[in-house]
Each structure stands twice: as structure tokens, then as C-alpha cells.
Amino acid sequence: MKKILIGALLLTGCALPVMACTGISATAKDGGYVQARTIEWGDSYLPSQYVVIPCGHEMISYTPKGMNGAKFRARYGVVGLSIVLKDFVVEGLNEAGLSAGLFYFPHYGNYPAYDAKQNTRTVADLQLVAWMLSQFSTIEEIKAAMQDIRVVSVDTTGASSTVHWRIGDANGRQVVLEFVDGVPCFYENEIGVLTNSPGFPWQMTNLNNYVNLYPGGAEAHQLGGVTVFPFGAGSGFQGIPGDVTPPSRFVRAAFYKATAPQCATAYDAVLQSFHILNNFDIPIGIEHAAGHAPMIPSATQWTSAIDLTNRKVYYRTAYNSNIRCIDMKQIDFSKVKYQAFPLDKELVQPIEEIIVK
């Protein structure tokens, strides 16, 4: 069985296996701003935790040579969702209302070359979310500080793929961070969608291939002497790509998000985001040759929705579709201890039995 992600990479030098992610966002009528996303891993169960980082907590980054990179102390309290190791926060929110998450980015982008002489300013790509959220309160602060660090993969061979990042603030601004020739590039993300490869500018250009799509239904019309008409509702979206490749998911997410009605409250937008992302669950088996799929419920291991305005982190998993919530306003980050717990206490879907008498 393949080893899982960087936890195995650190021990064996194996390459980072394939993941997929789909991210959307929504702004409610009450001004609430929500960022939601899926995370996929189709090889086996993906150990995931929620992590609470208090103010003052010191962290150390990994490098290709071990846990000897940059040291940084949390200025802001953070709630994050991690994979494999509690240090690898892949999605999260800080108490200032800044959110960040990483998305797999294979075959595109490249980080600066690792230089052991610069370990004190080196941050592993899978720890950059924790670095950003624990240190900064605004996107502009992150952009300025990126010049002071070197982001690297912990893989000494360079076999593992890069990632890119989505960063948002409570005012509804969102940017995408990608490394091009070792240089951090920020793109304003006005459409509020992100998946994986290719790069964000290409994904935006690709939307022009679907200029014919529109919400609603097509009108019946004459074709020669025959009337042609739609078979059912939603025919304006006929031709929208339905496969699970990153470009297709980007297009589908962009159109679903853009045509969804604006919700009254941030809470409603959270629930709507979960419903939209139902369309991006990847069934187990689709990524594998026949007969080789693992026995897990779904390649979509968990889905999260973060209310940046009201400082709430919501999530559900492949093993438990009940939505759970961490209210950051109930946490005193000056007193709480650093802690990490599995997203699921047990891998069992709760089912409510209806008794008919």
C-alpha cells in the first residue's frame, strides 16, 4: 500500500501521491463571507485532525534535512484542519478573520532551490498555512512577508509536487498564491473558485470556452421543419463538463457558485456551500483501474466551510456527514493550550432510526 503524503515522504523519500481539491466562496446579504472546500485522497483513509494553535505557541518548520527550519511564534490564535501530521494545516482561520488553505498543484509551479544555509528563513510548503495564519491579519501583510522567507518542499529529490494557496479576509477579498520560477505570485481571485492544475490564470482563460452556458432553460425552436426542445430543466448548462479533472471542476464550480442565489445570512451561505460541494464528491473507484479501488467510503475525505465574518469553522467527513462546528469566539486563545484531535472520534456514520408505531 502506498504511504500517505508527506508523513511517508519524510521517512521514505516517496513522492507525494495525487490529491484533488475544489474551493468555492460566498457572500451573504448580511455581509457574511464564507470560504468552503473539499479535500480528496483516493488511496486510503487520510488521517485528519482539527488543530487549535494558541497565541504564543512556537512552531518549527521542516526542511529536507529534518525539523530545523524557520521558528515562528503565533501572534494570532488559529483553528485549522490538518492532514497526516498536526503540523500540516491545510485549511484554517485565525482570530483576525484571515483564512488560508492549500490546494494540490501537480506539474506546475516551482519553489526556490533548497539552501541549507538559509534554514532559519525556510518554511515547508505544507506548513505555510500555519505560518500565514499564526503571523498575520491581512493579505497585504502576507504579501510583504513572503519576501523574507523561502518556501520549499521537504522532499530532497524534488519528486513531490508543488501546492498553491487560497487566502481570504473577512471583507470578502480573496487571492491565489502560486510560485512561478521560484517567485511568489499573487492573483486577485474575483471569481472565488480554486481547484488544482493548471495555473490560476489559465483556469480563468479556460472559462471563455464555456461562454455558451447560462442558467435556466433553452427555448424550443424550429430546426428545418422540426421543433426541437429541451428534455428537462437546466438545459442552459448543457455541455458543462462533468468529469473530475481540475479544469472541469473549476468550470463547474464557477458556474454553480455564480448562479446560486445569494443567501440571507452567513449561516445560510455555509449550508448552501455544503450543498454545492456535494456535486464535487469524488466516488471511490473513478480514479482506479477496475478492481483496484480501496475500501473507503469516498475519495472526498472531508469538506469544510469557514465563516470568516463570524469566526466559525465547519466540517463534515466521508465517515460522518453530520456537520460539526468550532466557534472561535468561544475560545480564549491567550489561555487555551495547543491541541489536536481527529476529525472523527470513530469512523462510523451516525444514523437516526425512525420508529414507526
Side-chain angles (χ1 to χ4, degrees), residues 121-136:
R121 55 192 292 260
T122 296
V123 179
D125 56 357
L126 294 190
Q127 290 174 275
L128 192 67
V129 169
W131 175 80
M132 290 189 287
L133 296 182
S134 67
Q135 300 299 296
F136 308 108

Side-chain angles (χ1 to χ4, degrees), residues 182-251:
V183 178
C185 298
F186 289 86
Y187 307 102
E188 295 292 328
N189 189 359
E190 295 181 1
I191 201 163
V193 168
L194 189 61
T195 57
N196 312 107
S197 301
F200 182 73
W202 184 96
Q203 299 278 22
M204 290 299 296
T205 300
N206 184 52
L207 288 176
N208 293 315
N209 283 319
Y210 301 91
V211 66
N212 59 297
L213 300 183
Y214 57 91
E219 296 290 335
H221 64 275
Q222 292 295 118
L223 182 64
V226 178
T227 300
V228 293
F229 53 87
F231 286 119
S235 55
F237 271 10
Q238 188 166 355
I240 196 167
D243 61 82
V244 301
T245 62
S248 294
R249 286 186 282 109
F250 191 100
V251 171

Side-chain angles (χ1 to χ4, degrees), residues 27-42:
T27 301
K29 292 179 181 179
D30 68 356
Y33 180 58
V34 173
Q35 291 187 165
R37 57 95 52 88
T38 68
I39 191 162
E40 279 77 29
W41 167 249

Side-chain angles (χ1 to χ4, degrees), residues 285 288-295:
H288 301 270
H292 292 277
M295 292 301 294

Side-chain angles (χ1 to χ4, degrees), residues 35 59 95 139 154 166 182 203 222 257 265 276 293 326 329 333 347:
Q35 291 187 165
M59 289 161 276
E95 57 184 327
I139 292 172
V154 296
R166 173 183 70 176
Q203 299 278 22
Q222 292 295 118
K257 171 196 177 297
T265 69
I276 291 175
I326 301 172
K329 291 183 178 179
F333 286 100
L347 304 182

